[in-house]
Amino acid sequence: MAIYFRTPLTDALAFEMIDERLSSGMDFDGYLNVYGVEDELTVTWPRGMSAGAFKEQATDALRSTWRRARFWLVYQRCDSRNDLDINEIRNAAIRLSQRYLEAAVVTLSLLGRTDTASDLELVFVCFRDESDRRNFRVRYEGKFVPES
């Protein structure tokens, strides 16, 4: 099935949405995964971990990613648009971004334990150079990208 990268969110809006969910007091199952060519990091939010502790670990991982790849595109996955599974979008982003030096793909998933209305699923595609980010947008955004 083809992957479709929809119009991205701004970094500021993405972080606002994350902060809103984490400060809501709701219970979430969550994870953050950073995939780079040379490394991979996963932060999980198990039962019993506070929202603050998860936020701190996620912030550290995002900050580390930003240090080496400062130019980001952020895509939100939504059930209401019949988007593909977050892992399918992530895998396509990894495959397509491999041609860019030091690119990273970050997946953030916050799924409400009692209510799906507050779910948040984001894919960050992070680039070292602004020209790489622009190139990715021109090539893939708003277009169906075949699996290959």
Side-chain angles (χ1 to χ4, degrees):
M1 177 177 270
I3 305 295
Y4 183 64
F5 290 94
R6 302 197 187 266
T7 304
L9 305 171
T10 64
D11 300 355
L13 180 57
F15 293 126
E16 183 180 310
M17 294 168 77
I18 294 166
D19 192 51
E20 178 184 294
R21 299 310 191 283
L22 293 177
S23 60
S24 70
M26 295 180 61
D27 284 331
F28 287 94
D29 287 318
Y31 74 90
L32 178 127
N33 176 269
V34 180
Y35 179 88
V37 173
E38 298 177 8
D39 60 345
E40 185 169 8
L41 169 72
T42 301
V43 175
T44 60
W45 186 357
R47 290 193 185 271
M49 177 187 265
S50 71
F54 178 78
K55 183 178 180 179
E56 184 178 315
Q57 290 181 13
T59 300
D60 288 346
L62 289 169
R63 189 175 291 122
S64 176
T65 303
W66 183 81
R67 284 187 192 116
R68 66 175 195 254
R70 296 177 183 231
F71 300 97
W72 295 6
L73 294 171
V74 185
Y75 299 97
Q76 182 178 12
R77 184 208 167 272
C78 293
D79 280 332
S80 62
R81 291 191 309 233
N82 294 318
D83 287 346
L84 295 174
D85 180 81
I86 190 85
N87 289 321
E88 292 173 300
I89 298 168
R90 171 192 179 268
N91 292 339
I94 288 169
R95 179 175 50 85
L96 296 172
S97 66
Q98 285 179 341
R99 68 179 52 165
Y100 302 102
L101 188 62
E102 295 185 40
V105 174
V106 178
T107 309
L108 173 77
S109 183
L110 298 174
L111 304 176
R113 290 187 181 139
T114 58
D115 181 9
T116 61
S118 58
D119 289 358
L120 180 64
E121 293 182 291
L122 302 173
V123 175
F124 297 75
V125 187
C126 312
F127 303 94
R128 187 179 79 170
D129 298 315
E130 170 60 20
S131 60
D132 291 343
R133 175 173 61 177
R134 282 194 316 265
N135 184 280
F136 187 91
R137 287 187 82 174
V138 168
R139 285 177 178 251
Y140 306 115
E141 196 171 288
K143 301 172 183 149
F144 286 97
V145 179
E147 289 184 61
S148 30

